[in-house]
Amino acid sequence: MDTKLFAYSNDHQRNEDTEVTTNLRSWRGQAKHHPHLRNAYGILIIIGWGILLPVGVIIARYFSKFPIHLNEWYSYHIMCQSIGYVLGTLGWLIGILIDHTSKQHSHELRSHQILGIIIFTLTTIQMVAIFWQPKKEEEYDHCGWKSWGIYHRLMGYVIIVLIIADIFEGIILNQNQPTKWKWSCVGILVILVLTAVSLEIYRWVKSKIIQQAVELNSEMYTSA
């Protein structure tokens, strides 16, 4: 009887050790793959939401008609927005997977997750709203088209601000990332901001030149 009890005890202990070892290996496997998932998450978010979406906004604002007219601006705009949306959403889903398997829980992480959900929701609305865009050629619907344009632009600007906040909040939360990641994000943001500011200045200067030319022609016509 004692021999059977001793054998059962050994088998039970061996099973527990095996289970602990298996769980430990599983945990190590998750921990091992998390850095790769985090890298993929960061790259997709930065390229999709952090680069392509802002570039699409810049194209729509400065290359549609004024100050620079690009015939293919709408195609480039849609391409940047679509690819950026897909890549950003894929990165966001990877982030959800990482958060689900991670034991890190904090108020800052929670706010980062909520911000990501808001961005995904708003970008999805923006993408769907493209199919609701009124046709500009229809004169009777000119007011609706103009209202849609105002909404679309304002929503785009709000999304860009939220994306910047989300990316930098993610950088602050993930202190284990190399410094080059942080400076890369800062560099990308600086380039985009400088590009937008330069084009905005050019837009303002060109509008002033055109306005002065119109006023000069008007004065010449009046004096004649």
Side-chain angles (χ1 to χ4, degrees):
M1 182 68 179
D2 293 339
T3 304
K4 292 182 179 180
L5 182 62
F6 180 75
Y8 171 78
S9 177
N10 286 340
D11 291 339
H12 183 68
Q13 182 66 33
R14 191 179 300 110
N15 290 335
E16 288 184 349
D17 292 341
T18 303
E19 183 178 357
V20 170
T21 303
T22 303
N23 292 336
L24 181 60
R25 288 176 179 175
S26 176
W27 180 84
R28 286 178 178 175
Q30 290 182 357
K32 180 180 179 181
H33 291 293
H34 268 189
H36 301 291
L37 288 177
R38 291 186 184 277
N39 289 337
Y41 159 75
I43 291 173
L44 290 172
I45 288 291
I46 292 173
I47 294 178
W49 286 357
I51 296 179
L52 291 178
L53 290 188
V55 168
V57 172
I58 290 174
I59 291 174
R61 177 165 178 79
Y62 301 107
F63 294 90
S64 57
K65 287 184 178 180
F66 187 83
I68 303 171
H69 178 64
L70 183 65
N71 292 330
E72 299 82 6
W73 76 268
Y74 189 75
S75 299
Y76 293 144
H77 171 68
I78 294 298
M79 181 178 64
C80 288
Q81 299 298 88
S82 301
I83 298 176
Y85 171 77
V86 172
L87 294 181
T89 301
L90 183 59
W92 175 69
L93 292 175
I94 293 176
I96 292 179
L97 176 63
I98 294 173
D99 294 336
H100 182 70
T101 57
S102 176
K103 295 183 179 181
Q104 179 185 0
H105 298 286
S106 63
H107 175 72
E108 292 79 8
L109 181 60
R110 184 63 178 172
S111 64
H112 183 61
Q113 294 170 343
I114 294 175
L115 199 55
I117 294 173
I118 294 174
I119 293 172
F120 168 73
T121 303
L122 295 181
T123 51
T124 302
I125 293 174
Q126 281 287 79
M127 296 302 297
V128 174
I130 294 176
F131 301 99
W132 298 336
Q133 179 181 4
K135 294 182 179 179
K136 187 178 179 180
E137 292 78 9
E138 299 176 358
E139 295 182 0
Y140 66 89
D141 201 25
H142 178 71
C143 182
W145 181 86
K146 189 174 182 179
S147 300
W148 184 92
I150 294 173
Y151 143 77
H152 192 66
R153 285 193 296 270
L154 290 178
M155 180 71 79
Y157 299 149
V158 170
I159 291 174
I160 296 302
V161 172
L162 293 177
I163 287 173
I164 294 173
D166 182 60
I167 290 177
F168 278 93
E169 186 177 18
I171 292 174
I172 294 173
L173 286 174
N174 194 3
Q175 297 293 338
N176 296 326
Q177 286 291 356
T179 306
K180 62 181 181 180
W181 273 86
K182 302 175 184 179
W183 285 112
S184 297
C185 293
V186 173
I188 291 170
L189 178 62
V190 169
I191 292 173
L192 291 173
V193 169
L194 289 178
T195 301
V197 170
S198 301
L199 289 171
E200 191 66 35
I201 293 174
Y202 177 66
R203 178 189 177 97
W204 181 81
V205 171
K206 190 173 182 178
S207 64
K208 287 296 182 181
I209 293 175
I210 293 175
Q211 183 180 357
Q212 291 176 359
V214 170
E215 291 176 355
L216 181 61
N217 290 335
S218 178
E219 291 176 359
M220 292 176 60
Y221 178 79
T222 303
S223 61

